[in-house]
Amino acid sequence: MSSSPPRFFRDSSPAGAPGLKRSQFTYRQLSQLASYNASSSPLRVIAHIDLDCFYAQAEMIRLGTPEDQPLAVQQWQGLIAVNYPAREFGIGRHCNVTEAKKLCPKLIHQHVATWREGDVKWAYHDDAAANMATHKVSLDSYRLESRKIMAVIKAELPPQLQRVEKAGIDEVFLDLSAHVHTILLERFPELAKPPPYDDPTEKLPRPSIYALDWQADALVDLDDEHTEIDDPDWDDVAILIGSEIVRDIRRAIRDKLGYTCAAGIANNKMLSKLGSAHKKPNQQTVIRPRAIQHFLSDFKFTKIRNLGGKLGEQISQTFSTEAVKDLLPVSVEQLKLKLGGDTGIWVYNTIRGIDPSEVNARTQIKSMLSAKSFRPSINTFEQATKWLRIFAADIFSRLVEEGVLENKRRPRTINLHHRHGAQTRSRQGPIPQGRQIDEETLFDLAKNLLGQIVLESRVWPCANLSLSVGGFEEGVTGNMGIGAFLLKGDEARALKAGPHTSMADDGNELHPVEKRRRMDNGGIQRFFSKRELSQGANRELGFNDAAIKCNSNGSGGTLGSPVNEMVSGEVEKKESVLSVSEEQANRHEHPFTAFMCSRCNAKFESAEEHQSHQDWHFAKDLHDQERVNSAFVTRNHQANDASSSSRPGSQKTGAAADSKRRGRPKKTERGQSKLTFG
Ligand code: CTP
Ligand code: CA
Ligand code: CA
């Protein structure tokens, strides 16, 4: 700034007493805190909150179970959530019910709610485990609890200053920066004064003695001997205010709903998530900026978000190590050389705890899927129709959550996939715009699509049915414009002709044609595209990052394994626009097919169609994966016993992980703070 004084004057600028050390932060950096300026605010405060053994707690609260009663949530013969008292007995998600009962005879094992074939509402059925063929898992009760928890979190934050990202069924990221900024100015009026010489690049005064006192007060629960409290700067103060807010939120969740949760508070998403997983249950970990390197260097980099899969593998092979500390001496040039430009830089920053990614207030769901695999297969249109009714009800209840009733968002297309032996058929059609979507409409559309498939050729027995809606668009709230009532082009044609069918020239299936802006194939995107694509589904299903690993590795080998159940979930896609063009509708007149799916031999005319078909397989694999991760973890565990690090979900779910967690030194790391309550 031209008006600012020469540098040498700054040491004696008026905001601080002469000779007093200045903060390392500037007035500008402080004000950036108020504007959620992710990349340029070193003071920002991000928290990650994750519910303890979520489904298990939900069942304990529903059933009024005493807190010390071991309880697990059962899905068929497997366990999908285990409370902490039960974990004391060595029970984990790897156990089946019989094994778990042996370890702890007094264990309560509550089966998840299910939809029973033909029913119109899910319920808790005592005989569900014995009737896998006629029941389908419903996670609705947990979604409902999840929504209540979200509401409590939001109610604890000032309406204008909240930025909350739901990152899974039981976890959120919070950007507390603006809220913390307000509190900072209230508590430390010296910060509210204009900068010396009106120069925002001036350094702030150092936190006062009062700040130190405040820290001691605020951290009564802290294990002080392991905490750096000397010489604090504003980043420490900011993060400790953040930790105070998080403690209040956790207390409110506990008081109002009865749930305990773990939390991490740091200056970015990646660190806050590592923080919440660090000490469980019912604890929060503060990772102060000056403790980041120490905190991270003990980690395997494969434990870091986005480094669990293919990329992590490539790095560990290239540099013959999995330890963060071994990678730290590697120069950015070398990382760029070995991993590619963007990736090299990203890895260089990540292992140093640098993550500028933003907390996204709203994660848009791009499609929803409800499916069931049949063992034994089903044989009649009537049987299939009963399941379609359930799928329609299931999807509709989630659409309501997405705000279809208020016309906030609505899907434009509906797809039905049908598997008969090795052959999969699919049909898709538009969802009529201009009138309210209801369960009945979805059901009628689905039945119509099934009718189309059934007419084609031999379709029974059917081993799998899956219904999905997609092509979400923002609705018009308030008065609907006339456009909303008019059907355009293909949509109108398709509706006139009944549900649109996509057929390959050879009569084989063709999958929904979804035009998706292709992601950059090069650079770091190639490692993330699938993972990002998967996250919506995984989030809603409550998978952690590790559970996605298998898919992001591209193994996708679950199709051949026994399929018993798929729960429904949302598939979030980047930039997905669904368009059904006339050309595509008439594809059977264009026998040229340049692209073929290596998994099911379906043929496609363009790379985009081929890609969207792969997306469909991918979404489906996720659902199969869910089954592998939950109901059949036992089988997986036995097969993979020694290689738990590559087992999906092993990062947070296996007994190995649990015992590792238990086995961690009790000592709080230098610079880390642990707060407990309740
Ligand atoms: N979940 C699942 N299958 C997985 C992973 C998670 O069904 N492979 C469900 C669990 O039932 C769980 C919820 O998603 O309750 C949240 O998962 P996560 O946070 O990973 O585990 P928790 O059970 O909540 O246990 P923790 O206390 O370790 O967070
Ligand atoms: Ca959890
Ligand atoms: Ca979680």
Side-chain angles (χ1 to χ4, degrees), residues 158-215:
Q160 309 309 322
L161 300 177
Q162 50 181 255
R163 191 182 274 203
V164 182
E165 175 181 330
K166 196 169 192 293
I169 196 164
D170 77 332
E171 59 195 85
V172 291
F173 284 106
L174 310 175
D175 190 333
L176 299 172
S177 304
H179 189 17
V180 166
H181 180 258
T182 310
I183 297 173
L184 271 175
L185 297 199
E186 276 164 20
R187 288 200 190 154
F188 306 98
E190 68 265 34
L191 294 180
K193 290 185 191 146
Y197 317 108
D198 273 337
D199 178 0
T201 64
E202 276 283 335
K203 295 271 165 63
L204 294 163
R206 199 85 188 179
S208 56
I209 296 301
Y210 171 68
L212 276 175
D213 287 348
W214 165 78
Q215 280 194 56

Side-chain angles (χ1 to χ4, degrees), residues 425-446:
R425 292 187 164 76
S426 77
R427 295 294 179 279
Q428 84 171 36
I431 295 171
Q433 306 290 299
R435 64 167 189 258
Q436 193 72 264
I437 296 179
D438 57 21
E439 211 172 303
E440 211 50 39
T441 310
L442 291 175
F443 173 63
D444 286 345
L445 289 165

Side-chain angles (χ1 to χ4, degrees), residues 50-55 80-81 84 87 93 170 280 542 629:
D50 185 288
L51 274 290
D52 300 325
C53 56
F54 180 49
Y55 296 176
I80 56 172
Y84 282 81
R87 292 184 199 187
R93 284 196 191 123
D170 77 332
K280 276 174 156 280
N629 281 325

